[in-house]
Amino acid sequence: MAKSGPNGAIARSIREGTRSRIVEAAVQTIKERGFAATSARAIAATGGFNQALVFYHFGSVNDLLIAALDHTSAVRMARYQAAIDSVDTLPELLAVASEAYQEDLAGGHIKVLAEMIAGASAMPELGPEIAARMQPWITLTEEAVVRVMAGSSLAPLVPTRDLAFAIVSLYLGAAMLTHLMGDATPAESLFRTGAKVGPLLELVTLRNGASAG
Amino acid sequence: MAKSGPNGAIARSIREGTRSRIVEAAVQTIKERGFAATSARAIAATGGFNQALVFYHFGSVNDLLIAALDHTSAVRMARYQAAIDSVDTLPELLAVASEAYQEDLAGGHIKVLAEMIAGASAMPELGPEIAARMQPWITLTEEAVVRVMAGSSLAPLVPTRDLAFAIVSLYLGAAMLTHLMGDATPAESLFRTGAKVGPLLELVTLRNGASAG
DNA sequence: GTCTATACTTGGATAGAC
DNA sequence: GTCTATCCAAGTATAGAC
């Protein structure tokens, strides 16, 4: 209270601290220029601050990049979780996934993820950090699958862990290929097909209150 | 004739030219140390020749890397094509794919591919080159799918292009995640599950000479 | 064709002024 | 906490001897 004056936006950006300004500049630099070009100097140029601040606040570029991944992951995870929670059937789940993919593609989140994973190959010490941050996505996916399959007679037959891993792999692989091929974007066609196939699969997950004892 | 003497191995390696020595050193360096660490100096150290030879023979490190990708791709493509040609049913195809994946993982080919794709993000000018070299794999996959589905009543319903893209995406995504997670290797479990599920899917692709006109 | 030596560039990271 | 200035390492690429 004592601090807040009439100068809204500026005061806010000061109060939020330089840390988040740096994190956001890092995210934007990855989006715009790719992992390899995201140096401390490039981030500083994007955010309009000094290069040395990266090291003062985060110790190293790598640690900043981890923080940036955490930041975007948290935002996206919350959104996906909400979308998934509002859904009960497999076709709906496919629709939500397709929608989320398109959104993330347009918003550049896909690119950040792809670049970070690509970058993990480049900086081996980033590997475990990123792997750990992928795990929640697999778990999220598995929970969604379990929920959607619940009540189906097929449920006990489905290896949900493998299925979740496969879905995340597919999502990621499609993202990397799309990213690679640029304008061709065959992933879009794939998701459209998925949306068409979804309703057919509903037969598979029909609640079978009748057939069960 | 005039050139070949009693000194077999040494003469051969001279005859084969420094170019292929450099290409092989590049492949091995990517396998062992990753894309980012594969500099002209590192490649030269691996192959035991001078750094300047990279530029003399290939002009730039990037061009050498492209040549290296072409080299491994050609070898693997030939092997996959032969394996696929010897197969007629979907379960067999899954078995072949699973086997190839394990082989490529053990042989380090998966790593080369993953690193190159990762690297493409790093060096944008590599992107189109690598994308162009992925296309034949999608085509190969599509042809295999078409062949295996031929005669099934489902064949006309399957969007083979999308399916092939999905399979390659899955393969690639699983490779990158496995590469990332290291010892966890959930992809192995996935392929085991795939092998178990395969026979069930045979029902789907049964030749239906009876039901057709 | 292959080597040594070196020019040039970029980026991580720190010291020290403010 | 933020800036300027700078050190140092690693890498691309070329010149020129052999």
Side-chain angles (χ1 to χ4, degrees):
Chain A
M1 279 212 183
K3 271 199 239 166
S4 67
N7 46 350
I10 294 169
R12 189 170 60 94
S13 83
I14 291 172
R15 208 166 49 242
E16 276 180 2
T18 309
R19 272 188 71 98
S20 50
R21 266 182 70 209
I22 297 176
V23 167
E24 271 160 39
V27 171
Q28 199 184 339
T29 307
I30 293 179
K31 275 184 201 171
E32 289 172 0
R33 313 196 27 197
F35 179 89
T38 301
S39 62
R41 285 172 157 89
I43 295 167
T46 300
F49 47 81
N50 192 280
Q51 176 245 134
L53 287 185
V54 167
F55 301 96
Y56 177 81
H57 283 284
F58 292 91
S60 73
V61 176
N62 272 5
D63 288 348
L64 167 57
L65 260 26
I66 300 280
L69 182 58
D70 277 336
H71 179 246
T72 52
S73 284
V75 174
R76 290 173 57 234
M77 180 81 74
R79 192 150 46 94
Y80 276 63
Q81 187 71 61
I84 286 173
D85 285 348
S86 73
V87 141
D88 277 312
T89 68
L90 185 53
E92 283 171 353
L93 185 58
L94 279 176
V96 166
S98 176
E99 209 173 298
Y101 181 87
Q102 307 282 355
E103 250 183 69
D104 280 358
L105 193 62
H109 299 293
I110 296 268
K111 170 140 201 199
V112 172
L113 181 63
E115 290 286 344
M116 286 297 289
I117 288 181
S121 297
M123 328 272 288
E125 62 274 26
L126 271 179
E129 303 289 341
I130 297 181
R133 281 157 184 82
M134 290 302 296
Q135 212 54 255
W137 290 97
I138 297 177
T139 303
L140 176 87
T141 305
E142 188 178 7
E143 283 168 4
V145 167
V146 168
R147 252 188 74 228
V148 160
M149 300 284 291
S152 161
S153 54
L154 278 181
L157 294 176
V158 175
T160 53
R161 191 77 192 163
D162 286 339
L163 183 54
F165 179 76
I167 291 171
V168 173
S169 294
L170 176 60
Y171 191 95
L172 178 63
M176 303 222 57
L177 282 179
T178 297
H179 180 210
L180 204 61
M181 300 192 185
D183 36 17
T185 59
E188 254 185 64
S189 167
L190 176 60
F191 272 102
R192 271 200 304 276
T193 298
K196 276 191 289 187
V197 171
L200 296 177
L201 292 180
E202 192 163 23
L203 299 170
V204 161
T205 56
L206 276 180
R207 303 296 181 276
N208 52 347
S211 71
Chain B
M1 276 211 183
K3 271 200 238 166
S4 67
N7 46 351
I10 295 171
R12 190 171 60 93
S13 82
I14 291 173
R15 211 166 46 242
E16 276 180 4
T18 309
R19 272 188 71 99
S20 49
R21 267 182 70 208
I22 296 177
V23 168
E24 272 160 37
V27 171
Q28 199 183 338
T29 307
I30 292 179
K31 276 185 200 170
E32 290 172 359
R33 312 194 30 194
F35 179 90
T38 300
S39 62
R41 285 173 156 88
I43 295 167
T46 301
F49 48 80
N50 192 280
Q51 176 246 140
L53 287 185
V54 167
F55 301 97
Y56 177 80
H57 284 284
F58 293 90
S60 73
V61 176
N62 271 5
D63 288 348
L64 167 56
L65 260 25
I66 300 280
L69 182 59
D70 277 336
H71 179 247
T72 52
S73 283
V75 173
R76 290 173 58 235
M77 180 80 74
R79 191 150 46 94
Y80 275 63
Q81 187 71 62
I84 286 173
D85 285 349
S86 72
V87 142
D88 277 314
T89 69
L90 184 54
E92 283 172 353
L93 184 59
L94 279 176
V96 166
S98 177
E99 209 173 298
Y101 182 87
Q102 306 282 355
E103 251 183 69
D104 281 358
L105 192 62
H109 299 295
I110 295 267
K111 170 138 200 201
V112 172
L113 181 64
E115 290 287 344
M116 286 296 290
I117 289 181
S121 297
M123 327 273 287
E125 62 275 26
L126 272 179
E129 303 289 341
I130 297 181
R133 281 156 184 83
M134 291 300 298
Q135 212 54 255
W137 290 98
I138 297 177
T139 303
L140 177 87
T141 305
E142 187 177 8
E143 283 169 4
V145 167
V146 167
R147 254 187 72 228
V148 160
M149 300 284 291
S152 161
S153 54
L154 279 181
L157 294 177
V158 175
T160 55
R161 191 77 192 161
D162 286 339
L163 183 55
F165 179 77
I167 291 170
V168 173
S169 293
L170 176 59
Y171 191 95
L172 178 63
M176 303 221 57
L177 281 180
T178 297
H179 182 209
L180 204 60
M181 300 193 185
D183 37 16
T185 59
E188 254 185 63
S189 166
L190 176 61
F191 272 102
R192 272 201 304 278
T193 298
K196 276 190 289 187
V197 172
L200 296 177
L201 292 181
E202 191 163 24
L203 300 170
V204 161
T205 57
L206 276 180
R207 304 296 182 277
N208 52 347
S211 72

